[in-house]
Amino acid sequence: MRRFYPLIPVLLLYLVLYVIGSEVRGMWQPMALLAFYAALGQAFNIFLGMTGYVDFGYVAFLALGSYGMALSVSSLYESPWLGEGIILIGLLLGLAMAAVLSLAVGAIALRLRGAYFAIATIGVNEGFRYLIEGVKLWGGSEGIIISRPLREAFGAAGANQLSTFWADTLIYLIAALAALITLLYMRSKISYALTALREDEDAAKVMGVHTTKYKIIAFITSAALGGLIGAAGWTLKLTYVFPADVFNITYTVEAIVIVLLGGAGTLLGPLSGGLIYAALKYWLSVTFPGLQLLILAPIILLIIVAFPQGLIGVLKAKVKGTPLEKVIV
Amino acid sequence: MALLKLENVTKRFGGLTAVDRVSLEIAHGEAIGIVGPNGSGKTTLFNIISGVYPPDEGRVFFEGEDITRLPPYKRTHLGIGRTFQIPRPFSAATVRENVAIGAMFGTLSGNVRVDEALEIADRYLKLTGFYEQRDKISGKLTPVEKKMMEIARALAMRPKLLLLDESMAGMPPKDIDGMIKFLKKVKEEEGIAIVSMVEHIMRAVAGFAQRVVVMHQGRKLLEAPTAEALSDSRVVDIYLGRPSEEAEDAESRRS
Amino acid sequence: MPLFWSMLLGNLIHGVLLGSVYGMMTMGLSFIFGVLRIVNVGHGAFIMVGAYIALWMFLLFGLPPLASIPLAAATGMALGFIFFYTVIRRLVGTPELTTLLATFAIGILLEEVAKFLWGPDFRGFNWLVGKWILPVTTIPLNKIYALIASIAIAIALYVWFRKARSGMAIRSVMEDSEGARVCGVNVEGIYALSFAIGIGLTVLGGTLLTLFIPVGINPYMGGIYTLKAFVIAVLGGLISPWGAFYAGFIFGLIENGSYTLLGLIPGIEPFSMTQFLAFFLLLVILLLRPTGLLGARA
């Protein structure tokens, strides 16, 4: 039980955000944004941070998650005895679709290294998006809109509650889940295997690590969580899915920035990175609307060049040898 | 039954034949030295045995099983462990974590829990004298310390066959003697067969190996008990760069 | 000749013409990867820069895009040197992640600066120089000029690469940077030069592009070209700029040809499907022949 101590500050933090969001006027959306980016960072970190491989097509998993939710709602809303179950099915379908894609992609791309892997994953992301638009799958480029089915299934008030309250609350829960899984992996054999393969993949193989198996474990986990995030945080919240939006590579880049900023491969890193990034983005959009990216881009460059190990990475080095070491993980 | 058997193993890289029809047998618990000047094919041979790449021709048997195409991580489960000529620690991890990785993934049982692996690691760390430094970041060790750590890591895999790749290069003579005593002790206590590959530290080979295999230009030049091999004039010749009769015969037979 | 075939043939001719520009646009990417082992994910943004250069030179000074080429190349090289010495230099040898992210951030920076300076609207210009009328199709002369310019530049670059001292120095670094260093080559200077040349080629490619598509110029136009460039570069072997040049032609052919053919299938949206095929091709090549279709070595 003791090894789960580092989870306590994380869960407390989420609780605090949640409370602020629900009690303070007008803070629900900003807090939900923080939670979204924290969840995204943590889900992405499980693969990027622990294996060191850059999946530039990560957003495809969120996209499939979104489609999972959309498909479930739009096909099942008329059945009277499923009720709220269609949302649960939507989440599970989103998770499953993302996981299946990750298996397919993993089987192909995980044989490749470094830059080739990154390029292959971009190929998957863009390819899938154009496939959907090209053969007019799932609504083609027009996507799927679920606002009407939601209203018909749950009434206007119910639908509204789902999109505003439940979608965001689910994100908090997913974020907590991602943190739990991260810590579980970090405290298990998996983290040793992934450390070995991250440091020197060929040596790891010769030391007996079944590198492909562990890469896939990390990959599927990261993808499945991404699917959940897309299902709840995008489709349920916005009540529509458009391929051009959900396959947008910007989210992948934001995820990478968050993980790097906070510290790859750590528990608190993506969390803090997500919070800082979201807060910064929100503040910039209010203070300098339209200029956020212009300001963020050089900041990102600065961080990459000056602090590649991220905020938590720097902190970890500082607290080494002190009792805080057990908590800053 | 031999522990390791190589049958006419050949490996080419483009136009260069790095290993040329080498056959070899190693028994359980033996101590063998493989010597040969730079470029004689020793490292390639090790890579083929540990599974980094398959041979172009020929086969590799371990305890009777054909492992020629088996991937490296499975070979460790059968009991083959190795070190690298240029040490390859998992730099960001501590010494203890490095050795634990070997124990966790590389053993015969293949399914060792984290806490068990850490215990095994501690045991080998004490054996190799690294226990006090176990929490040091392995990337920060000196090259000689890294080599020693690799040996601890390989031993933690509880191999039946340990391949040491130039593990004593760069060591001062008294360290080499200490190392030889250590390897002998390990061999007796753990019952491991050890194949030590050296380029030119004859002291290491002489004190340790029962048999020596001499390689030259990818071929096995000769294989004999240590004293005999090292005093053979052909061996002296190849090290001094003088063409030996045997090598010349081989050349003319090839062309 | 039946309509279908003449349409296809016309499309293929245009595909080859476009391919020359595609090739030119991708050479920079392969060059940078070949020497520095860095994937320039911000590639498209530099193409955008080249397009804007052509645009402003035309609108402000009446310069046709061909005449803007030297300026584009020079601007590109200047940008390349600037970004190398401020950012890239510190990242050579770090894990892929950092350089991928850095080049992406540079791309975003360029896009946002462009948006800040010139607004997000789509712009264009019109440089009409007449057409060449063939039985199967009509070819605007701009495209012929683009083809000639691309081939000329590629040849000039090739000759320089083979014969000039700096060209040879670059080749030695591509082969073995440590060996080159030991032979007295200023490796960091070569990295800087190569990065600058790569960016210069990319910006130049953007200018040439306007000979084909002088409209739709906006800060975010580069994204789709980055993706195409990846496919072309992988086709050509990722490390060889010459491979990229040939691959550009092949890609242009495939893209145009498939667009026509797919348009004939009902229920399929040909533009999206063509893009899908491009990425499918990318994945197939990465799996089967990562050294590229042409297996080119520098």
Side-chain angles (χ1 to χ4, degrees), chain C residues 105-121:
Chain C
I106 289 175
I108 301 230
L109 183 63
L110 285 171
E111 287 175 351
E112 294 300 312
V113 168
K115 186 176 94 166
F116 185 70
L117 291 175
W118 303 312
D121 306 316

Side-chain angles (χ1 to χ4, degrees), chain C:
Chain C
M1 195 186 278
L3 184 63
F4 168 71
W5 289 111
S6 67
M7 215 171 75
L8 187 61
L9 194 55
N11 250 299
L12 289 177
I13 293 178
H14 283 272
V16 169
L17 291 169
L18 183 62
S20 67
V21 174
Y22 274 161
M24 207 68 234
M25 274 164 45
T26 312
M27 280 179 83
L29 187 69
S30 298
F31 199 71
I32 291 177
F33 189 77
V35 182
L36 291 111
R37 289 286 183 269
I38 289 178
V39 179
N40 179 13
V41 193
H43 180 81
F46 290 102
I47 292 188
M48 177 265 296
V49 170
Y52 268 102
I53 290 178
L55 177 77
W56 292 123
M57 288 298 112
F58 187 82
L59 290 182
L60 296 177
F61 307 116
L63 270 175
L66 278 179
S68 303
I69 287 179
L71 177 65
T75 310
M77 287 193 70
L79 284 173
F81 277 118
I82 293 174
F83 284 120
F84 182 81
Y85 282 113
T86 50
V87 180
I88 306 290
R89 179 168 59 121
R90 299 159 218 268
L91 300 177
V92 180
T94 57
E96 270 94 17
L97 170 61
T98 39
T99 49
L100 281 170
L101 197 48
T103 51
F104 193 91
I106 289 175
I108 301 230
L109 183 63
L110 285 171
E111 287 175 351
E112 294 300 312
V113 168
K115 186 176 94 166
F116 185 70
L117 291 175
W118 303 312
D121 306 316
F122 283 49
R123 294 173 196 265
F125 63 97
N126 232 324
W127 184 51
L128 289 168
V129 277
K131 318 179 217 267
W132 190 23
I133 303 181
L134 292 178
V136 288
T137 186
T138 304
I139 307 178
L141 282 178
N142 319 21
K143 301 194 181 184
I144 304 283
Y145 293 151
L147 177 71
I148 298 175
S150 303
I151 297 181
I153 296 172
I155 292 179
L157 197 68
Y158 186 77
V159 168
W160 171 82
F161 203 60
R162 291 261 139 200
K163 299 285 160 69
R165 271 189 68 192
S166 30
M168 290 200 276
I170 293 183
R171 273 193 292 144
S172 69
V173 170
M174 273 171 104
E175 283 270 349
D176 178 1
S177 59
E178 278 310 308
R181 194 191 305 267
V182 165
C183 288
V185 173
N186 174 8
V187 174
E188 189 178 280
I190 293 295
Y191 282 155
L193 181 64
S194 306
F195 192 74
I197 291 178
I199 301 292
L201 278 171
T202 310
V203 173
L204 199 160
T207 305
L208 276 176
L209 181 67
T210 61
L211 283 166
F212 266 79
I213 311 177
V215 293
I217 298 178
N218 74 91
Y220 302 109
M221 62 182 278
I224 195 167
Y225 293 111
T226 306
L227 303 168
K228 283 193 220 260
F230 280 158
V231 182
I232 297 171
V234 168
L235 256 179
L238 207 62
I239 45 173
S240 164
W242 325 115
F245 192 64
Y246 298 131
F249 284 105
I250 299 179
F251 187 80
L253 273 170
I254 296 178
E255 196 183 57
N256 263 33
S258 70
Y259 188 80
T260 314
L261 290 170
L262 288 170
L264 298 172
I265 306 179
I268 298 262
E269 209 283 283
F271 176 74
S272 302
M273 212 53 197
T274 310
Q275 310 305 316
F276 166 71
L277 276 178
F279 291 107
F280 188 69
L281 185 64
L282 170 70
L283 288 172
V284 167
I285 303 227
L286 278 175
L287 277 178
L288 297 180
R289 279 202 74 165
T291 50
L293 207 53
L294 306 150
R297 284 162 230 289

Side-chain angles (χ1 to χ4, degrees), chain B residues 172-217:
Chain B
K174 80 166 165 59
D175 283 353
I176 295 181
D177 290 336
M179 176 70 117
I180 292 175
K181 267 171 65 181
F182 169 75
L183 286 176
K184 278 186 167 163
K185 186 169 88 151
V186 161
K187 186 169 90 75
E188 297 308 320
E189 287 179 10
E190 313 268 334
I192 309 174
I194 302 184
V195 181
S196 175
M197 189 178 74
V198 291
E199 188 178 321
H200 52 241
I201 310 179
M202 294 312 170
R203 185 194 199 98
V205 174
F208 172 74
Q210 298 157 293
R211 253 197 308 147
V212 165
V213 172
V214 181
M215 291 198 56
H216 178 54
Q217 290 178 353

Side-chain angles (χ1 to χ4, degrees), chain A residues 193-216:
Chain A
L194 293 177
T195 301
L197 85 88
R198 187 176 66 236
E199 291 294 313
D200 190 332
E201 190 160 345
D202 288 321
K205 285 189 203 169
V206 175
M207 293 300 132
V209 178
H210 188 349
T211 51
T212 308
K213 171 173 121 179
Y214 287 100
K215 276 193 268 191
I216 292 191

